[in-house]
Amino acid sequence: MAIEGDLLLPVPSWVTYEPQAKMLQCNIIPVPTTCDNDGMHIDAEQLRKIIKSARKTKIPNKNQDKKSSFEDNICYNPRKLILNYPSNPTGLTFPVEELKQIAQVCIQEDILIISDEIYGFVNFSNNESSPGSHDPSKHYRSIAQFAPSHTVVTTGLSKHLSLGGWRVGCAFVPHSIKGLYEALRAIASETWSSLSAPITQATVLAYSNRLEIEQHIAACTDIHGMVNRYISTSLQAIGLHCPTVQGAFYNFPDFESLREGLLRAYNVQTSADLARILLTQYSLASLPGTAFGEEPHVLKIRLSGVDLNGTKSLEHYWDLMRRDNKIDDRLAFVILIAPNVVKGVDVFKQVVENCKAIVK
């Protein structure tokens, strides 16, 4: 709202970005991504071409009954790019070198980067199972360090502190963008007025840099990593394309390799069909790729590996840490704390077997 212009939006992206932009009558310019075991990728030179092409492309006149020569000659005006990493829905983050390249393009093309780092501390790339060795801040990455004058960083408490209902957001705004801080403060004051007193007190405590809080973040991140990487590796083992997750608590598997079998066994043609079948026939909840901007025929769904008892999981985690200072058998740990996740993976094994059997 505070920055005019059209939005460059990676596909896939979090579900509310697009509708929020449309509420502000902001045009969406899709930016394709690729995903693999090295992370989520945006080709910087392709991004540059998309920006330059958009500036030369006329916006379709939606009011066909009221055509005007002025409206027919308005081109897209890309002014901002939103990035979320580690990503919801993919569970992947951008490699540091690629963040540098994206930042350089945005500086040269004068694009504001909205860096949504809500999952920034839920990053378990190359983590070890030790509260001393696994420091989430060591894995934290931000494009702001490469484009400080062109980046607004947003974050909050709800993800890395497991405070899902405590909705408080923070933004780090560069002084170089004159008037942006004042505009954001005015919008916020007219929208939310202020935080409730309990959340205010929790926020002060959360950012107090206390050791017990930092250990809690590390433990939760380690648990999320074990459970969600169990999902990734299990789906890979049965032949699905599912990059090994690097953060957050999501997987975004692709079922393209089962397209014929899914059609013949379940009459699945779209990701929405697939999500519906999983829910109605197997009681397994997922979200279709279309919710995140994918085309209907793309057979991707988002899985969230959080069906576990957080309190009991942490108790068992710290029992093992106090005894051994590590978790040797991570598979046994996941089976113990997340039996419903294990059952969910077994559902996919059954679906794959059914698909393969019917196309023999």
Side-chain angles (χ1 to χ4, degrees), residues 55-127:
R55 289 170 175 161
K56 297 177 183 178
T57 302
K58 295 177 182 178
I59 301 172
N61 188 344
K62 297 178 182 178
N63 298 317
Q64 295 296 327
D65 297 334
K66 300 179 180 180
K67 281 192 175 182
S68 71
S69 57
F70 174 75
E71 289 178 334
D72 287 344
N73 286 284
I74 297 176
C75 292
Y76 289 97
N77 179 29
R79 291 285 307 282
K80 47 206 171 187
L81 166 70
I82 191 163
L83 299 176
N84 170 227
Y85 54 101
S87 157
N88 182 358
T90 67
L92 301 173
T93 192
F94 293 104
V96 173
E97 286 302 315
E98 292 178 25
L99 286 177
K100 291 180 182 178
Q101 296 166 9
I102 294 168
Q104 192 63 27
V105 169
C106 289
I107 292 171
Q108 293 169 354
E109 299 297 333
D110 197 22
I111 300 294
L112 174 74
I113 304 164
I114 304 170
S115 187
D116 182 351
E117 299 175 16
I118 191 72
Y119 297 99
F121 285 112
V122 192
N123 187 330
F124 36 81
S125 302
N126 303 316
N127 69 313

Side-chain angles (χ1 to χ4, degrees), residues 184-220:
L184 288 172
R185 197 169 70 170
I187 292 167
S189 70
E190 296 299 324
T191 307
W192 304 288
S193 295
S194 66
L195 290 175
S196 66
I199 294 179
T200 302
Q201 293 176 10
T203 302
V204 172
L205 182 62
Y207 288 117
S208 64
N209 200 32
R210 294 193 181 189
L211 177 61
E212 62 267 33
I213 294 177
E214 302 308 310
Q215 289 178 331
H216 175 75
I217 295 169
C220 290

Side-chain angles (χ1 to χ4, degrees), residues 10-14 33-42 83-96 98-99 116-120 122-125 139 141 228-229 232-233 236 241-254 294 300 302-303:
V11 179
S13 282
W14 168 239
T33 68
T34 57
C35 297
D36 56 33
N37 285 335
D38 293 323
M40 192 171 181
H41 309 279
I42 291 176
L83 299 176
N84 170 227
Y85 54 101
S87 157
N88 182 358
T90 67
L92 301 173
T93 192
F94 293 104
V96 173
E98 292 178 25
L99 286 177
D116 182 351
E117 299 175 16
I118 191 72
Y119 297 99
V122 192
N123 187 330
F124 36 81
S125 302
H139 303 285
R141 61 189 66 172
N228 285 279
R229 283 187 165 176
S232 300
T233 55
Q236 293 165 9
H241 176 69
C242 185
T244 303
V245 291
Q246 300 169 322
F249 16 88
Y250 309 108
N251 277 265
F252 200 55
D254 188 344
E294 296 283 6
K300 295 180 181 180
R302 192 205 70 177
L303 305 175

